[in-house]
Every structure is written in structure tokens, then in C-alpha cells.
Amino acid sequence: MRAFLFAAFAAVTLLASGNANAQSQQDFQLVNRTGYTIDEVYVSAASQNTWGNDLMGDDSLEDGQVLNVTFPRGADACSFDIKVVYDDAETAEFRGVNLCQVSRVTIFYNRSAGSTRFTTE
């Protein structure tokens, strides 16, 4: 079962992508600029009602680190939802991100407001 989940995970996302010609238009970099560790990352088509698998697996995304998220070639959805779970179990969700128009999503945490925001490039 664990091997199956790993294979499914690998088919949807890879932590590193070496061939730019094989990239799907939705591929993007998720940059953690929150000052905190992110333990879980979920990306699902906005039309889906479930989050699917955690893209981090047993890893964590430390502040300043980048996660390369890749999609299978031929994927055609553009609007995606992104959810992150911090190491203290707090969550942040970003709805309707058009991944066909961005290549980088950077997450920031505003400590005084107690809120997380993101920017795209």
C-alpha cells in the first residue's frame, strides 16, 4: 500500500524537475517565506471537493525553502486550491489560484495580523 501511495504521489508531483520541456503549464514553485515550518502541502483542482495526498510526505518545508510542484503532462485545469499545514497544526488555504498564469507562489505570514497571504509571479 505504501509503495502504491508513493507511486501515485510521484506521478502527480516531484520535488525536483530536471527537464523544462516536460513541464506542464500548471507546474509551479511554492516558496515558504512565513518564518515557520510547513509540514503539509495540498494542491487540488478548484473543482474537487477533496484535498488528496500531502505533497510533503515525511518532509517539511522550512522557511526560505522551495517546493517544486509538477503535474502530469496534458493536465488541463488551471484553477487550483492550495492548502498548507504548519508544524503547529495551523492551516492556511488559498482558493482559485490560476496556475496556468503563474510559475511561483510565495507564502507570507503576518504575525501582527495573524494571517497568511500569498503572492504570485
Side-chain angles (χ1 to χ4, degrees):
M1 178 69 167
R2 193 168 222 186
F4 171 78
L5 289 175
F6 179 78
F9 168 75
V12 175
T13 183
L14 300 174
L15 292 178
S17 176
N19 185 350
N21 294 330
Q23 290 183 336
S24 177
Q25 66 181 351
Q26 300 90 342
D27 294 352
F28 73 101
Q29 292 182 320
L30 181 68
V31 183
N32 180 5
R33 294 280 184 217
T34 64
Y36 297 94
T37 300
I38 295 173
D39 281 345
E40 300 173 36
V41 174
Y42 301 90
V43 178
S44 69
S47 61
Q48 297 294 314
N49 293 326
T50 61
W51 284 109
N53 294 328
D54 168 24
L55 302 182
M56 294 307 300
D58 292 331
D59 294 328
S60 294
L61 189 64
E62 301 294 330
D63 183 52
Q65 289 186 324
V66 176
L67 173 67
N68 293 311
V69 180
T70 61
F71 292 82
R73 290 186 75 177
D76 58 1
C78 287
S79 183
F80 285 83
D81 298 333
I82 302 170
K83 176 181 178 180
V84 297
V85 180
Y86 295 101
D87 61 354
D88 65 357
E90 290 290 323
T91 64
E93 296 180 12
F94 313 105
R95 302 286 180 167
V97 181
N98 187 338
L99 294 181
C100 293
Q101 295 182 349
V102 301
S103 60
R104 180 178 284 225
V105 175
T106 304
I107 301 173
F108 300 93
Y109 180 73
N110 181 329
R111 187 172 303 191
S112 62
S115 63
T116 304
R117 68 176 178 86
F118 74 97
T119 60
T120 60
E121 297 175 38

